[in-house]
Amino acid sequence: MGTPADLSIWLKEQTWPIVFSLVCFGLVYVLLKVSARRRLHRLARQRDGVTENTFATHLERYGFDALITRSTYRYLREVQLVQFPIMPGDKLDEDLGLDSVDVDQTVRELSHALHREYTPGLRYAPLVTVEDLVRLLQASPRLSQRRENVAA
């Protein structure tokens, strides 16, 4: 095949490969969207009956503060827009779809809402699960305790 002398000739020769590539990309996109939607429906169906109350009650058995667990559940559902019931073992990135910026925003805003000190540099391990997030928030000192320690 010779070198095309004109841009219009080259475009005519490349039309079918370009159309084929676009159709393939479109099919892959549709397949991924359908797969994601089916996953969300499956998770919602499997977790039927899991609510903020059951989430908090489950973690209370292990010594977690009910206010922190409820606030975390509510924040993830309402602000981070998680579309299915949340379990303590859910991975923040893989299951809930949160990236590192979303996780940092969640810790910052929940710390502020719960009147806890935001100390991002004191984490010795990455936040992987929802339970890790609740554990970090519960371990963070209350702002009133911090003020009392500084005054003393």
Side-chain angles (χ1 to χ4, degrees), residues 13-119:
E13 289 177 357
Q14 300 303 318
T15 301
W16 286 112
I18 291 172
V19 168
F20 179 74
S21 297
L22 290 175
V23 167
C24 286
F25 286 128
L27 289 173
V28 168
Y29 177 78
V30 168
L31 178 68
L32 291 174
K33 284 296 260 188
V34 168
S35 176
R37 182 168 285 139
R38 289 184 66 204
R39 179 179 177 272
L40 285 176
H41 288 299
R42 185 180 69 245
L43 281 172
R45 209 173 37 250
Q46 288 173 345
R47 296 174 178 196
D48 191 32
V50 175
T51 63
E52 181 182 325
N53 290 333
T54 59
F55 179 81
T57 302
H58 173 75
L59 288 175
E60 279 181 66
R61 285 186 264 159
Y62 300 103
F64 288 97
D65 183 358
L67 176 65
I68 294 172
T69 57
R70 289 176 187 280
S71 298
T72 302
Y73 186 93
R74 204 172 311 115
Y75 181 90
L76 292 171
R77 290 295 303 262
E78 295 172 4
V79 177
Q80 294 296 348
L81 303 175
V82 176
Q83 300 175 3
F84 51 86
I86 300 165
M87 302 290 287
D90 285 347
K91 291 186 168 81
L92 296 170
D93 57 353
E94 294 173 17
D95 297 329
L96 304 185
L98 304 179
D99 61 14
S100 61
V101 174
D102 293 333
V103 172
D104 189 53
Q105 173 190 353
T106 300
V107 172
R108 184 183 314 273
E109 290 181 4
L110 280 172
S111 295
H112 178 72
L114 295 167
H115 305 290
R116 300 283 179 153
E117 186 176 339
Y118 174 68
T119 52

